[in-house]
């Protein structure tokens, strides 16, 4: 294993142990519960949006280290971000996960910060669902809160 793979593996392990944003959000604008039927991972994400920014998210869930770490990293990326940035990050992470190990542009990896650690996960289709679970829940919670990400990037 090369040094970059080791670093990426360590990022995922660290986030799966120290879950940033874990815990239910008090008075969310909306929540979304998602389950990966393939493996049983589940998450409930609550979101609070203020003035076009994700003010806070909280989450509760159970699952593999990949799903839990991905949600933790997602929390760090989106809290405080405007909705256009969140939409771009979600699209970039989705593209990374569907790259099947071919990778994405270096600028995308830079923007994804710690989420770039999941690049190796894209080689394993069954694990891609684990990594995307929290992002799907966030996107759905924002839709339920009346701020769909698809509309955020077209305004």
């Amino acid at each position: 294993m090369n040094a970059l793979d080791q670093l990426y593996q360590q990022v995922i392990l660290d986030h799966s142990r120290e879950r940033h944003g874990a815990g239910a959000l008090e008075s969310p604008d909306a929540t979304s519960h998602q389950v990966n039927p393939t493996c049983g991972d589940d998450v409930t994400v609550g979101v609070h949006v203020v003035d076009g920014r994700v003010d806070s998210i909280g989450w509760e869930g159970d699952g593999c280290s990949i799903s839990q770490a991905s949600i933790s990293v997602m929390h760090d990326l989106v809290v405080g971000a405007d909705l256009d940035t969140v939409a771009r990050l979600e699209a970039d992470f989705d593209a990374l996960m569907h790259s099947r190990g071919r990778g994405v542009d270096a600028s995308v990896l830079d923007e994804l910060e710690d989420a770039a650690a999941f690049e190796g996960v894209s080689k394993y289709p069954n694990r891609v669902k684990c990594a995307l679970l929290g992002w799907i829940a966030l996107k759905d919670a924002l839709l339920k809160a009346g701020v769909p990400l698809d509309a955020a990037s077209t305004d």
Side-chain angles (χ1 to χ4, degrees):
M1 183 180 319
N2 68 36
L4 186 59
D5 289 340
Q6 288 175 341
L7 172 65
Y8 281 176
Q9 187 175 46
Q10 192 60 49
V11 167
I12 292 171
L13 291 172
D14 289 348
H15 273 278
S16 71
R17 285 190 293 258
E18 296 288 330
R19 298 171 180 176
H20 302 177
L25 188 62
E26 193 171 318
S27 302
D29 294 332
T31 62
S32 176
H33 180 77
Q34 300 291 319
V35 177
N36 180 348
T38 305
C39 63
D41 291 355
D42 76 285
V43 66
T44 300
V45 171
V47 65
H48 185 61
V49 178
V50 176
D51 296 329
R53 291 190 172 278
V54 174
D55 180 63
S56 54
I57 64 170
W59 61 278
E60 296 179 300
D62 291 307
C64 68
S65 61
I66 291 170
S67 72
Q68 303 298 282
S70 179
I71 300 164
S72 176
V73 169
M74 177 192 73
H75 169 272
D76 291 354
L77 286 171
V78 304
V79 170
D82 63 73
L83 295 171
D84 286 336
T85 299
V86 174
R88 190 173 59 252
L89 289 167
E90 187 275 331
D92 287 349
F93 191 75
D94 188 73
L96 176 69
M97 288 297 92
H98 289 98
S99 71
R100 297 206 179 253
R102 291 184 307 273
V104 294
D105 190 73
S107 64
V108 171
L109 294 176
D110 288 344
E111 184 165 39
L112 288 174
E113 299 176 16
D114 278 356
F118 294 87
E119 186 173 23
V121 174
S122 71
K123 298 174 189 174
Y124 306 98
N126 287 340
R127 303 312 250 160
V128 166
K129 293 176 185 178
C130 300
L132 288 173
L133 187 65
W135 290 91
I136 292 166
L138 174 64
K139 192 172 179 178
D140 185 53
L142 288 168
L143 177 65
K144 290 177 179 177
V147 287
L149 287 185
D150 294 338
S153 60
T154 61
D155 289 344

